[in-house]
Amino acid sequence: MTEGGIPYLSRARVTVLGVQPGAPPFRIVEVDGEVVSTARSMIDVLLTAAALGATIHDLDDPGEVRWVGGGKYHWSTH
């Protein structure tokens, strides 16, 4: 807990939003709260983050990546 009784919630620098329909389906990637690209795979997420200085060491660490609407293996609209 921090001073004042408010718990500290870490915020991931990278957020991957839910799957969007397309051919092929894609997910929107945010870094530091800004939409920066789309991704069609985990590799796209890693490359985008690295290009913007947000190195990801563990895709399962919620302090590094926040997955919205499905985890790192969810890349289809079904």
Side-chain angles (χ1 to χ4, degrees):
M1 305 260 315
T2 61
E3 291 181 25
I6 299 171
Y8 172 76
L9 298 175
S10 65
R11 181 174 179 204
R13 288 190 68 193
V14 178
T15 300
V16 183
L17 301 177
V19 178
Q20 302 297 310
F26 63 93
R27 296 177 79 165
I28 296 169
V29 179
E30 295 180 349
V31 175
D32 295 330
E34 292 187 39
V35 173
V36 295
S37 73
T38 60
R40 290 181 168 75
S41 70
M42 287 183 282
I43 299 299
D44 290 346
V45 173
L46 291 168
L47 293 174
T48 297
L52 295 170
T55 303
I56 298 171
H57 299 285
D58 183 356
L59 287 166
D60 294 319
D61 181 352
E64 291 192 46
V65 182
R66 179 174 175 241
W67 298 94
V68 178
K72 66 183 180 184
Y73 296 116
H74 187 81
W75 294 94
S76 67
T77 55
H78 307 288

